[in-house]
Amino acid sequence: MYCKYRMKPTINDIARIAGVSKKTVSRVINDSPLLTGETRDKVKAVIEQLGYVPNPQARALALGHNFLIGLVHDNPNAQMILNMQQGILEGLRGTEFAMVVQPVNRSSPSLVEDMREFIVRQRLYGIVILPPISENDAVAKMCVEAGCRYVRMGSAVLDESKHMVASNDRDAVKEAVRYLIQQGHKRIAIVTGPQGFRSATERLAGFEDAMTEAGMKLPRSHRAEGEYTFDSGLVATEQLLDLSPRPTAIFASNDEMAAAVLYAARLRGIAVPDELSIVGFDDTPIASRIWPPLTTVRWPIVAMGRSAAHKLIAGAVEEIDLEDEPTEFLSNLIRRGSVAPPKP
Amino acid sequence: MYCKYRMKPTINDIARIAGVSKKTVSRVINDSPLLTGETRDKVKAVIEQLGYVPNPQARALALGHNFLIGLVHDNPNAQMILNMQQGILEGLRGTEFAMVVQPVNRSSPSLVEDMREFIVRQRLYGIVILPPISENDAVAKMCVEAGCRYVRMGSAVLDESKHMVASNDRDAVKEAVRYLIQQGHKRIAIVTGPQGFRSATERLAGFEDAMTEAGMKLPRSHRAEGEYTFDSGLVATEQLLDLSPRPTAIFASNDEMAAAVLYAARLRGIAVPDELSIVGFDDTPIASRIWPPLTTVRWPIVAMGRSAAHKLIAGAVEEIDLEDEPTEFLSNLIRRGSVAPPKP
DNA sequence: TTGTAAGCGTTATCAT
DNA sequence: ATGATAACGCTTACAA
């Protein structure tokens, strides 16, 4: 047997069989530039032949960090988180990195300490932080202190390029509302997200941009605050549908609340889209499953996840160049059946 | 400074300050029974004081495995995976274990090798396998070979108790269909899941159980095969709604397809629930967001995840007793607006 | 360009 | 009951 106990081969096995020292093998693994092409080829052949894979735990110990990327989130929009996971894993594919997931409670007073604990315990190489936690600068500061790379995901650029993947919610919503205006809507209302969410602010700003551009005003009454949940959307919608004259279109700041707008309209016998047009945000699966299917904003979460992962590991993986990774990502409006011109 | 460079304290710092050897500290950490209470207390005090946490990477190297639990899935449905993650993390809370997630492609010819690679690379302590991959016995065999603990999640008990957390889909569906029959339905159809999914088989069997119990037959025409996707549900439903006389109730083997049944009914102007009752399975968020809200089967995914995690780490964590962990989990029927007695 | 020795933080072995 | 010493697999000085 070429190595003890039929276990996975170690660096020692490779060194012995290739007739070189451990360190030489280590140099091959780490693509050191100081090697003869000949030596390199010889060692690589043995590595290939034995199917040798370096032990990440040993490397972790020697290097002082693990080959783990953390994903920290709260606010489970299930599909968003799963898409993000998919994107990160795509970004990590082919490397020795793995992804560990950690949900946290954003309103816990120990949030920052909980995250530090997570980072330090697992000696994470880097973490991806999802909104709304990503908007917390104290968290970013803690990451630096803890010696952990980080990338924040957000609805606007909040940090240096290497620490950020961002959508542009403001422009995306502006385009969506512009579309409603083009359809002839005059009384357009918004269900906003909760205060303290940057995405809520951005989306509202985009809404106002479009209105201003068209010389229209957003009366305070046409603005109802939700909390990104279905139930809060229901409550906010009631408020808007009580108005007289009623809005002919409602932009809801996420799909969950847009589904609530639709639900509330149905409860009152208001026809969608004939009597009320609805636009959502996220393009979650629910948007295309309900009737009528929802016009909504789709943002490239998977691509953002992939890029976030790349930004984190660019320093460790030769093939990845930080310069190639975008910081801002474009959303686009998905037009479906929930919007129509207002009936006079 | 009590330890070099203000770094996290190591076992050496604890040993030095407590005036004992490394090994003694190690014994305290691992709850060795051979210690004086006095020594133990002294060491524990120092650990407490310095906030010492053992380095998982070093332990991993010494022990030959990592403190990582893997979650392997092939994206059956986003909410289910996220609930499972939540459950596993609840089960891991307070321990030194973390969860790493790995999606795989169930139809890849290299599925088993891909999973082995994942396990060996990260030296996983154990993995949780989600359906339908969990139904593959070759995967379980590979885990044993690779020296990795595993727990399979499934819709029926497929393995020894310590390797299994299972729902009882057959009984759950039986109860659901029994409910339809009680409401007076005579022509009940089913949209099944895809062949090769154990859950599909179980749910169909439960359907047939209820029919048989009531002395009813399931004609071949009342059975349409879907693939657990919205689009396949649409196609299957078309088939069923073309029948004459039309079924008065349809059980869809998951919510995604139940949403499709509702959607297809709406396209044809068939009123739900007055002209058609619908029952789904999963109780995903979509079930309560659509109109009318969906009567469906809810299964305790979070609890199953927690238990799966506990079964994996029971040997490593004193507080957890394998005997306390259930293997079968009960589902229950959530009654909402999509079911009504048939109109004559 | 390559090799040697020491060390990363922990556990296992075998003394005492 | 406790401790010295050698692993675990790899990397980083520092030599050669």
Side-chain angles (χ1 to χ4, degrees):
Chain A
M1 215 56 212
Y2 52 77
C3 53
K4 319 185 242 180
Y5 315 126
R6 312 181 126 265
M7 297 297 285
K8 283 203 75 167
T10 73
I11 199 170
N12 289 308
D13 299 311
I14 306 298
R16 184 162 36 79
I17 294 167
V20 297
S21 74
K22 283 163 76 162
K23 183 58 215 176
T24 301
V25 178
S26 172
R27 288 201 178 91
V28 173
I29 296 168
N30 295 287
D31 282 309
S32 158
L34 315 125
L35 292 157
T36 318
E38 196 188 347
T39 317
R40 183 190 310 277
D41 291 344
K42 181 173 61 179
V43 174
K44 276 200 166 160
V46 178
I47 288 177
E48 184 73 19
Q49 187 199 329
L50 299 199
Y52 165 72
V53 178
N55 179 328
Q57 278 68 53
R59 306 233 294 148
L61 187 57
L63 290 166
H65 70 79
N66 212 329
F67 288 87
L68 291 176
I69 299 298
L71 172 64
V72 174
H73 66 80
D74 181 0
N75 175 36
N77 169 337
Q79 192 62 48
M80 189 255 232
I81 292 169
L82 221 68
N83 286 346
M84 198 65 197
Q85 292 187 0
Q86 187 193 327
I88 292 174
L89 287 161
E90 282 180 16
L92 263 30
R93 181 163 305 155
T95 73
E96 61 197 316
F97 286 89
M99 177 187 72
V100 325
V101 180
Q102 182 68 36
V104 297
N105 181 351
R106 69 168 173 277
S107 41
S108 161
S110 59
L111 169 67
V112 174
E113 281 319 304
D114 291 348
M115 286 185 59
R116 189 202 303 277
E117 162 78 13
F118 173 57
I119 289 172
V120 170
R121 242 228 163 85
Q122 295 297 331
R123 306 291 199 278
L124 296 185
Y125 185 81
I127 66 172
V128 179
I129 315 169
L130 298 193
I133 296 163
S134 59
E135 294 155 16
N136 185 333
D137 288 326
V139 167
K141 198 167 148 235
M142 177 276 293
C143 291
V144 175
E145 282 170 21
C148 180
R149 293 156 188 75
Y150 70 90
V151 168
R152 305 155 83 166
M153 181 197 201
S155 35
V157 178
L158 308 167
D159 204 329
E160 289 173 65
S161 181
K162 64 178 173 180
H163 292 309
M164 196 75 218
V165 290
S167 54
N168 187 330
D169 288 11
R170 183 165 182 166
D171 282 356
V173 172
K174 183 174 175 183
E175 188 197 333
V177 176
R178 202 185 259 156
Y179 170 63
L180 286 172
I181 293 170
Q182 280 164 6
Q183 296 287 307
H185 290 277
K186 303 286 182 205
R187 295 191 304 280
I188 309 176
I190 179 171
V191 180
T192 69
Q195 290 177 357
F197 276 62
R198 180 61 181 261
S199 59
T201 318
E202 293 292 320
R203 291 169 199 181
L204 175 58
F207 187 97
E208 287 175 328
D209 286 350
M211 298 290 272
T212 305
E213 183 185 66
M216 297 162 69
K217 290 284 282 180
L218 173 62
R220 189 64 192 77
S221 62
H222 279 55
R223 203 173 120 184
E225 184 174 325
E227 293 168 15
Y228 281 154
T229 62
F230 185 80
D231 288 340
S232 72
L234 240 28
V235 174
T237 306
E238 294 299 332
Q239 232 174 284
L240 298 175
L241 295 183
D242 279 341
L243 295 173
S244 172
R246 220 166 48 203
T248 60
I250 296 180
F251 167 74
S253 297
N254 72 358
D255 282 353
E256 190 75 0
M257 296 195 298
V261 174
L262 182 59
Y263 193 103
R266 180 142 286 137
L267 282 177
R268 294 191 181 212
I270 298 172
V272 175
D274 286 348
E275 297 176 86
L276 181 70
S277 288
I278 304 175
V279 174
F281 197 108
D282 281 344
D283 193 31
T284 54
I286 212 170
S288 50
R289 272 37 168 177
I290 56 181
W291 181 268
L294 207 56
T295 293
T296 188
V297 176
R298 176 188 294 169
W299 45 316
I301 303 179
V302 175
M304 292 172 78
R306 196 183 315 122
S307 205
H310 280 175
K311 288 187 182 201
L312 287 175
I313 65 175
V317 180
E318 216 187 3
E319 295 76 30
I320 298 172
D321 186 354
L322 195 56
E323 305 303 314
D324 295 343
E325 300 301 329
T327 297
E328 278 198 89
F329 292 76
L330 292 180
S331 304
N332 57 316
L333 186 66
I334 308 294
R335 292 162 203 219
R336 299 206 184 89
S338 65
V339 173
K343 293 277 147 58
Chain B
M1 215 57 209
Y2 51 78
C3 54
K4 317 185 243 180
Y5 314 127
R6 313 179 123 267
M7 298 296 286
K8 284 205 72 166
T10 73
I11 199 171
N12 288 307
D13 299 310
I14 306 298
R16 182 163 36 81
I17 293 166
V20 297
S21 74
K22 287 162 74 160
K23 184 61 211 175
T24 300
V25 179
S26 173
R27 287 200 178 93
V28 172
I29 296 168
N30 295 287
D31 282 307
S32 160
L34 314 123
L35 293 156
T36 318
E38 195 188 347
T39 316
R40 184 191 309 275
D41 292 343
K42 182 173 59 180
V43 174
K44 275 198 168 165
V46 177
I47 288 177
E48 184 75 18
Q49 187 201 328
L50 300 198
Y52 165 72
V53 179
N55 179 329
Q57 279 68 54
R59 303 192 68 195
L61 187 58
L63 291 166
H65 70 77
N66 213 330
F67 288 86
L68 291 175
I69 298 298
L71 171 64
V72 174
H73 67 79
D74 180 12
N75 179 41
N77 105 42
Q79 192 61 47
M80 188 250 226
I81 293 172
L82 221 67
N83 286 346
M84 198 63 196
Q85 293 186 1
Q86 186 193 327
I88 291 174
L89 287 161
E90 282 180 15
L92 263 31
R93 181 163 304 156
T95 72
E96 61 196 318
F97 286 90
M99 177 185 73
V100 323
V101 180
Q102 181 67 36
V104 297
N105 181 351
R106 69 167 172 278
S107 40
S108 161
S110 58
L111 169 66
V112 175
E113 281 319 304
D114 291 348
M115 287 185 58
R116 189 201 304 276
E117 163 79 12
F118 173 56
I119 289 172
V120 170
R121 242 233 163 80
Q122 296 297 331
R123 305 291 199 277
L124 297 185
Y125 186 81
I127 66 172
V128 179
I129 315 169
L130 262 36
I133 297 164
S134 60
E135 294 154 17
N136 185 334
D137 288 326
V139 167
K141 200 167 148 233
M142 177 277 292
C143 292
V144 175
E145 282 171 19
C148 179
R149 288 155 252 270
Y150 70 92
V151 168
R152 305 156 83 166
M153 180 196 201
S155 35
V157 179
L158 309 166
D159 204 327
E160 289 172 67
S161 181
K162 64 178 173 182
H163 292 310
M164 197 75 218
V165 289
S167 54
N168 188 330
D169 288 11
R170 184 166 182 164
D171 282 356
V173 173
K174 183 175 176 182
E175 187 196 334
V177 176
R178 201 186 260 155
Y179 170 64
L180 286 172
I181 294 170
Q182 280 164 5
Q183 296 287 309
H185 291 277
K186 302 289 182 205
R187 295 191 304 279
I188 309 176
I190 178 172
V191 180
T192 69
Q195 290 177 358
F197 276 62
R198 180 61 182 261
S199 58
T201 318
E202 293 292 318
R203 291 169 198 182
L204 175 58
F207 187 97
E208 287 175 327
D209 286 350
M211 297 291 271
T212 305
E213 182 186 67
M216 297 161 70
K217 290 284 282 181
L218 172 62
R220 189 63 192 76
S221 63
H222 280 54
R223 201 173 119 183
E225 183 174 326
E227 292 168 17
Y228 281 153
T229 63
F230 186 80
D231 288 340
S232 72
L234 240 29
V235 174
T237 306
E238 294 298 332
Q239 232 174 285
L240 297 175
L241 295 182
D242 279 341
L243 294 174
S244 171
R246 223 167 45 203
T248 60
I250 296 181
F251 166 74
S253 297
N254 71 358
D255 282 353
E256 190 76 358
M257 296 195 298
V261 173
L262 182 58
Y263 193 101
R266 179 141 286 137
L267 281 177
R268 292 189 183 216
I270 298 170
V272 176
D274 287 348
E275 297 176 88
L276 181 70
S277 288
I278 304 175
V279 173
F281 196 108
D282 280 342
D283 194 31
T284 54
I286 212 170
S288 50
R289 275 29 168 185
I290 57 182
W291 181 270
L294 208 57
T295 293
T296 188
V297 176
R298 177 189 295 169
W299 44 316
I301 303 179
V302 174
M304 292 172 79
R306 197 183 315 122
S307 204
H310 280 175
K311 287 187 183 202
L312 288 175
I313 64 174
V317 179
E318 215 186 4
E319 294 77 30
I320 298 172
D321 187 355
L322 196 55
E323 305 301 316
D324 295 343
E325 299 302 329
T327 297
E328 278 198 89
F329 293 75
L330 292 180
S331 305
N332 57 317
L333 186 65
I334 308 294
R335 292 161 204 218
R336 298 205 185 91
S338 65
V339 172
K343 295 274 148 59

